[in-house]
Amino acid sequence: MNQNKAVDIELTKYVAEFVVETTFADLSAEVIELGKKSILDGFGLALSGSVAKSGELVRQHLGDLGLADGAATVIGGGRKVAPRFAAFANGVGIHADDYDDTQLAVAKDRVYGLLTHPTAPALPAAFAIGELVRSSGKDFMLAYHLGVEVECKIAEAIAPRHYQTGFHATATCGTFAAAAASARLMGFDVATTQRALSIAGSQSAGLRENFGTMTKPFHAGRSSESGVAAAQFASYGWTATPRILEAPRGFFAAAGGGYDQSAIFDKLGAPWTFANPGISIKPHPSGSLTHPGMTEMLRLIKEHGIRAEDVKHVRVGTNSNMPNALIHHRPKDELQAKFSMEFCMAILLLEGRAGLNEFTDAAVEREDVKAMIEKVDFVIDDEAEAAGYHLMTTLIDIELKDGRKISGRADFGKGSPAFPMSYDEVAGKFRENAEFAGMSRSKADEIVELVRGLENLGTLDDLSARLISIA
């Protein structure tokens, strides 16, 4: 791990040059289509997140601020506010149910093989500033991709200690995503973009101890807001160091103790993270580490006709790192249930599905759910450990009351690059989330088609008009 020995490389300038000089033509058709899936997914999650308890509290906060009307849409909130506050509200909404996309890691030393939730900080900033400057669909998409790429490569480069010791990489690296997307849409030159990134770096924060609480999605919202604010202050002429990433007292050193220069320098857009190693879209509103096991459990249930009442015992084995995040073995509410392997297995056995309607406080409190959780043992498995921490290898052994034993293994979940969701499958998830929020099917269908043809939009007005309210 490079302990800042390459300070002579102007890394922050390199990132700024990428943000300023990249064009829409530099995005391959594959990357454009992958991005559309995550953008549509993000909009749907902002809608469903708007009716979560956290969404209600965010609207209360916006009301307490006494804000005048602004240019940027609070998705599902029925109003427009200043861009930074819309970015905050929509970032919280996208991450509220822990149902948003996740970045796969290149390096084998990254815990779980995952790094950030890239869309939650990048999309709200790009959408808010895109509305402000009345950008085209193409310009909005490019800014979103630039933000995601900067976030992902910074997360790839920083030393693993950053996450392992408690930083939430979505929050910390996401601030740079929002700043990069905003800087591009605001038409900054390289020097101004460097300042925007540096102002963002001084706002980079978020701690994993808050996982399983409302403060986890707060991280995503605040990182998006901070990046927007950083770009706005840079536009005023606010001063900042030109080398926030690489300096001895900069982000990589302070937040991670070092970085791998080769993971970011000359790597932005080469390849795009969307193309390789890829970004996963979640099929369930729970922590990504549960998804290989949930995918395999669903397969076993369908293939063998397993009924909840026939289950005697379930053993779920993973590597020793996964339990560090899936910490709630007897969850007390739906937020804890998202980080409970036992709950995820139990609800699938009982209901055969696990969507937003299953991740509720009422479901967690059900006696049959509690009883099924007692039948599930979540353990460290030697085979999963040997597979490596860069995988989410999950082994399932089900013992039935009639003596039959059924087993399975999965390294990846549905929605991963190895097992991708199509645009139409993501559209199905979007419609479910929009319906969960109370939106009509016809309005949801219109949004699906607008995002499908996003590059053809002259402005974002048609999207904003449909996303601003549920009705």
Side-chain angles (χ1 to χ4, degrees), residues 50 52-68 74 77 79 81-82 84-90 92 214 218 221-222 225:
S50 73
K53 180 64 175 179
S54 56
E56 175 189 335
L57 298 180
V58 166
R59 288 190 295 277
Q60 179 181 335
H61 176 62
L62 296 179
D64 288 347
L65 292 175
L67 300 172
V74 177
R79 65 179 301 192
V81 295
R84 66 179 294 173
F85 299 115
F88 172 72
N90 296 334
V92 172
M214 290 181 189
F218 180 94
R222 195 54 184 262
E225 177 191 358

Short mmCIF file of all heavy atoms in Angstrom, two decimals, residues 50 52-68 74 77 79 81-82 84-90 92 214 218 221-222 225:
data_model
loop_
_atom_site.label_atom_id
_atom_site.label_comp_id
_atom_site.label_asym_id
_atom_site.label_seq_id
_atom_site.Cartn_x
_atom_site.Cartn_y
_atom_site.Cartn_z
N SER A 50 -39.17 7.89 0.29
CA SER A 50 -39.90 9.09 0.70
C SER A 50 -41.03 8.78 1.67
O SER A 50 -41.47 9.66 2.42
CB SER A 50 -40.46 9.82 -0.52
OG SER A 50 -41.57 9.14 -1.10
N ALA A 52 -40.76 6.23 3.89
CA ALA A 52 -40.17 5.65 5.10
C ALA A 52 -40.23 6.67 6.23
O ALA A 52 -40.43 7.87 6.00
CB ALA A 52 -38.72 5.25 4.83
N LYS A 53 -40.06 6.21 7.46
CA LYS A 53 -40.05 7.12 8.60
C LYS A 53 -38.96 8.17 8.44
O LYS A 53 -39.17 9.35 8.76
CB LYS A 53 -39.83 6.33 9.90
CG LYS A 53 -39.80 7.20 11.16
CD LYS A 53 -41.14 7.88 11.40
CE LYS A 53 -41.14 8.65 12.73
NZ LYS A 53 -42.42 9.33 12.98
N SER A 54 -37.81 7.77 7.90
CA SER A 54 -36.73 8.74 7.69
C SER A 54 -37.15 9.83 6.70
O SER A 54 -36.77 10.99 6.85
CB SER A 54 -35.47 8.03 7.19
OG SER A 54 -35.73 7.30 6.02
N GLY A 55 -37.94 9.46 5.69
CA GLY A 55 -38.43 10.46 4.75
C GLY A 55 -39.32 11.48 5.41
O GLY A 55 -39.24 12.69 5.13
N GLU A 56 -40.17 11.01 6.30
CA GLU A 56 -41.05 11.92 7.05
C GLU A 56 -40.22 12.90 7.89
O GLU A 56 -40.50 14.10 7.95
CB GLU A 56 -41.96 11.09 7.96
CG GLU A 56 -42.83 11.91 8.90
CD GLU A 56 -43.55 11.04 9.92
OE1 GLU A 56 -43.76 9.83 9.65
OE2 GLU A 56 -43.87 11.56 11.01
N LEU A 57 -39.17 12.38 8.53
CA LEU A 57 -38.34 13.24 9.38
C LEU A 57 -37.50 14.21 8.54
O LEU A 57 -37.28 15.35 8.97
CB LEU A 57 -37.42 12.37 10.24
CG LEU A 57 -38.14 11.43 11.23
CD1 LEU A 57 -37.13 10.62 12.02
CD2 LEU A 57 -39.06 12.22 12.16
N VAL A 58 -37.08 13.79 7.37
CA VAL A 58 -36.35 14.71 6.48
C VAL A 58 -37.26 15.86 6.06
O VAL A 58 -36.85 17.03 6.06
CB VAL A 58 -35.81 13.96 5.25
CG1 VAL A 58 -35.36 14.94 4.16
CG2 VAL A 58 -34.63 13.08 5.66
N ARG A 59 -38.50 15.55 5.70
CA ARG A 59 -39.44 16.62 5.32
C ARG A 59 -39.71 17.55 6.49
O ARG A 59 -39.86 18.77 6.32
CB ARG A 59 -40.74 16.02 4.79
CG ARG A 59 -40.58 15.39 3.41
CD ARG A 59 -41.92 15.02 2.79
NE ARG A 59 -42.61 13.98 3.52
CZ ARG A 59 -42.38 12.68 3.38
NH1 ARG A 59 -41.45 12.26 2.53
NH2 ARG A 59 -43.07 11.80 4.07
N GLN A 60 -39.76 16.98 7.70
CA GLN A 60 -39.92 17.83 8.89
C GLN A 60 -38.73 18.77 9.02
O GLN A 60 -38.90 19.97 9.31
CB GLN A 60 -40.02 16.95 10.14
CG GLN A 60 -40.16 17.75 11.43
CD GLN A 60 -40.25 16.84 12.66
OE1 GLN A 60 -40.65 15.68 12.56
NE2 GLN A 60 -39.87 17.37 13.82
N HIS A 61 -37.52 18.25 8.78
CA HIS A 61 -36.31 19.07 8.86
C HIS A 61 -36.33 20.17 7.81
O HIS A 61 -36.02 21.34 8.12
CB HIS A 61 -35.08 18.18 8.68
CG HIS A 61 -33.79 18.93 8.64
ND1 HIS A 61 -33.32 19.67 9.70
CD2 HIS A 61 -32.86 19.07 7.65
CE1 HIS A 61 -32.16 20.23 9.38
NE2 HIS A 61 -31.86 19.87 8.14
N LEU A 62 -36.70 19.83 6.60
CA LEU A 62 -36.76 20.85 5.55
C LEU A 62 -37.77 21.93 5.90
O LEU A 62 -37.55 23.12 5.65
CB LEU A 62 -37.12 20.21 4.20
CG LEU A 62 -36.10 19.21 3.63
CD1 LEU A 62 -36.60 18.65 2.30
CD2 LEU A 62 -34.73 19.85 3.46
N GLY A 63 -38.88 21.50 6.50
CA GLY A 63 -39.87 22.48 6.94
C GLY A 63 -39.35 23.39 8.02
O GLY A 63 -39.59 24.61 8.02
N ASP A 64 -38.61 22.81 8.97
CA ASP A 64 -38.05 23.61 10.07
C ASP A 64 -37.03 24.63 9.57
O ASP A 64 -36.82 25.66 10.23
CB ASP A 64 -37.37 22.69 11.09
CG ASP A 64 -38.37 21.89 11.91
OD1 ASP A 64 -39.58 22.21 11.86
OD2 ASP A 64 -37.95 20.92 12.58
N LEU A 65 -36.40 24.35 8.43
CA LEU A 65 -35.41 25.28 7.89
C LEU A 65 -36.06 26.53 7.30
O LEU A 65 -35.37 27.52 7.05
CB LEU A 65 -34.56 24.58 6.82
CG LEU A 65 -33.62 23.48 7.31
CD1 LEU A 65 -32.95 22.80 6.12
CD2 LEU A 65 -32.58 24.03 8.27
N GLY A 66 -37.36 26.46 7.05
CA GLY A 66 -38.04 27.62 6.48
C GLY A 66 -37.55 27.97 5.08
O GLY A 66 -37.43 29.14 4.72
N LEU A 67 -37.28 26.93 4.29
CA LEU A 67 -36.69 27.14 2.98
C LEU A 67 -37.68 27.75 2.00
O LEU A 67 -38.87 27.40 1.97
CB LEU A 67 -36.21 25.81 2.40
CG LEU A 67 -35.15 25.06 3.22
CD1 LEU A 67 -34.92 23.68 2.61
CD2 LEU A 67 -33.85 25.85 3.24
N ALA A 68 -37.19 28.65 1.17
CA ALA A 68 -37.97 29.15 0.05
C ALA A 68 -37.97 28.09 -1.05
O ALA A 68 -37.18 27.15 -1.03
CB ALA A 68 -37.36 30.45 -0.47
N VAL A 74 -37.51 17.49 -4.56
CA VAL A 74 -37.49 16.48 -3.50
C VAL A 74 -38.40 15.37 -3.98
O VAL A 74 -39.62 15.52 -4.03
CB VAL A 74 -37.99 17.06 -2.16
CG1 VAL A 74 -38.04 15.97 -1.09
CG2 VAL A 74 -37.12 18.21 -1.70
N GLY A 77 -41.65 14.29 -2.52
CA GLY A 77 -41.88 15.24 -1.43
C GLY A 77 -42.82 16.38 -1.76
O GLY A 77 -43.17 17.17 -0.88
N ARG A 79 -42.36 19.12 -3.46
CA ARG A 79 -41.83 20.47 -3.48
C ARG A 79 -40.44 20.51 -4.08
O ARG A 79 -39.80 19.48 -4.26
CB ARG A 79 -41.78 21.06 -2.06
CG ARG A 79 -40.81 20.35 -1.13
CD ARG A 79 -40.76 20.98 0.25
NE ARG A 79 -40.36 22.38 0.20
CZ ARG A 79 -40.01 23.10 1.27
NH1 ARG A 79 -40.00 22.54 2.47
NH2 ARG A 79 -39.67 24.36 1.15
N VAL A 81 -36.66 22.62 -3.67
CA VAL A 81 -35.87 23.39 -2.72
C VAL A 81 -34.50 23.68 -3.35
O VAL A 81 -34.25 23.33 -4.50
CB VAL A 81 -35.69 22.62 -1.39
CG1 VAL A 81 -37.03 22.44 -0.68
CG2 VAL A 81 -35.03 21.27 -1.63
N ALA A 82 -33.63 24.31 -2.60
CA ALA A 82 -32.27 24.55 -3.08
C ALA A 82 -31.59 23.21 -3.35
O ALA A 82 -31.85 22.22 -2.66
CB ALA A 82 -31.47 25.34 -2.05
N ARG A 84 -28.75 21.71 -2.71
CA ARG A 84 -28.07 20.93 -1.67
C ARG A 84 -29.07 20.19 -0.79
O ARG A 84 -28.82 19.05 -0.37
CB ARG A 84 -27.16 21.81 -0.83
CG ARG A 84 -27.86 22.86 0.02
CD ARG A 84 -26.88 23.67 0.85
NE ARG A 84 -26.21 22.85 1.86
CZ ARG A 84 -25.21 23.29 2.62
NH1 ARG A 84 -24.76 24.52 2.48
NH2 ARG A 84 -24.66 22.50 3.52
N PHE A 85 -30.22 20.81 -0.52
CA PHE A 85 -31.20 20.17 0.35
C PHE A 85 -31.98 19.08 -0.38
O PHE A 85 -32.36 18.07 0.22
CB PHE A 85 -32.12 21.22 0.96
CG PHE A 85 -31.39 22.22 1.79
CD1 PHE A 85 -31.33 23.56 1.41
CD2 PHE A 85 -30.72 21.84 2.94
CE1 PHE A 85 -30.63 24.49 2.17
CE2 PHE A 85 -30.02 22.76 3.70
CZ PHE A 85 -29.97 24.09 3.31
N ALA A 86 -32.20 19.26 -1.67
CA ALA A 86 -32.82 18.19 -2.47
C ALA A 86 -31.88 16.99 -2.54
O ALA A 86 -32.30 15.84 -2.45
CB ALA A 86 -33.15 18.70 -3.87
N ALA A 87 -30.58 17.27 -2.72
CA ALA A 87 -29.59 16.18 -2.76
C ALA A 87 -29.59 15.41 -1.45
O ALA A 87 -29.52 14.17 -1.44
CB ALA A 87 -28.21 16.74 -3.06
N PHE A 88 -29.69 16.13 -0.33
CA PHE A 88 -29.74 15.47 0.97
C PHE A 88 -30.97 14.58 1.08
O PHE A 88 -30.88 13.39 1.42
CB PHE A 88 -29.76 16.51 2.09
CG PHE A 88 -30.00 15.91 3.46
CD1 PHE A 88 -29.03 15.16 4.09
CD2 PHE A 88 -31.22 16.09 4.09
CE1 PHE A 88 -29.26 14.59 5.33
CE2 PHE A 88 -31.46 15.53 5.34
CZ PHE A 88 -30.48 14.78 5.96
N ALA A 89 -32.14 15.14 0.78
CA ALA A 89 -33.38 14.39 0.93
C ALA A 89 -33.40 13.16 0.03
O ALA A 89 -33.78 12.05 0.46
CB ALA A 89 -34.57 15.29 0.61
N ASN A 90 -32.98 13.32 -1.21
CA ASN A 90 -33.03 12.20 -2.15
C ASN A 90 -31.95 11.16 -1.87
O ASN A 90 -32.17 9.97 -2.10
CB ASN A 90 -32.93 12.73 -3.58
CG ASN A 90 -34.11 13.60 -3.96
OD1 ASN A 90 -35.21 13.45 -3.40
ND2 ASN A 90 -33.91 14.53 -4.87
N VAL A 92 -30.88 10.41 1.19
CA VAL A 92 -31.44 9.64 2.31
C VAL A 92 -32.48 8.66 1.79
O VAL A 92 -32.50 7.48 2.16
CB VAL A 92 -32.06 10.58 3.37
CG1 VAL A 92 -32.81 9.76 4.42
CG2 VAL A 92 -30.99 11.43 4.04
N MET A 214 -31.19 4.88 11.29
CA MET A 214 -31.48 5.89 10.28
C MET A 214 -30.25 6.69 9.88
O MET A 214 -30.22 7.34 8.83
CB MET A 214 -32.55 6.87 10.78
CG MET A 214 -33.93 6.30 10.92
SD MET A 214 -35.08 7.56 11.48
CE MET A 214 -36.53 6.56 11.81
N PHE A 218 -28.64 8.59 6.39
CA PHE A 218 -28.24 9.99 6.59
C PHE A 218 -26.86 10.23 5.98
O PHE A 218 -26.61 11.28 5.38
CB PHE A 218 -28.22 10.29 8.09
CG PHE A 218 -27.83 11.71 8.45
CD1 PHE A 218 -28.79 12.67 8.64
CD2 PHE A 218 -26.50 12.07 8.61
CE1 PHE A 218 -28.45 13.98 8.98
CE2 PHE A 218 -26.14 13.35 8.94
CZ PHE A 218 -27.11 14.32 9.13
N GLY A 221 -27.21 10.81 2.24
CA GLY A 221 -27.79 12.12 1.96
C GLY A 221 -26.81 13.24 2.24
O GLY A 221 -26.68 14.19 1.45
N ARG A 222 -26.12 13.13 3.36
CA ARG A 222 -25.20 14.21 3.72
C ARG A 222 -24.01 14.25 2.77
O ARG A 222 -23.50 15.34 2.45
CB ARG A 222 -24.73 14.04 5.16
CG ARG A 222 -24.07 15.29 5.74
CD ARG A 222 -25.00 16.51 5.59
NE ARG A 222 -24.39 17.73 6.04
CZ ARG A 222 -24.59 18.27 7.25
NH1 ARG A 222 -25.41 17.67 8.10
NH2 ARG A 222 -24.02 19.39 7.58
N GLU A 225 -25.28 16.02 -0.32
CA GLU A 225 -25.42 17.45 -0.02
C GLU A 225 -24.06 18.13 0.09
O GLU A 225 -23.87 19.25 -0.44
CB GLU A 225 -26.18 17.62 1.30
CG GLU A 225 -26.31 19.08 1.73
CD GLU A 225 -26.80 19.25 3.15
OE1 GLU A 225 -27.09 18.24 3.83
OE2 GLU A 225 -26.89 20.42 3.60
#
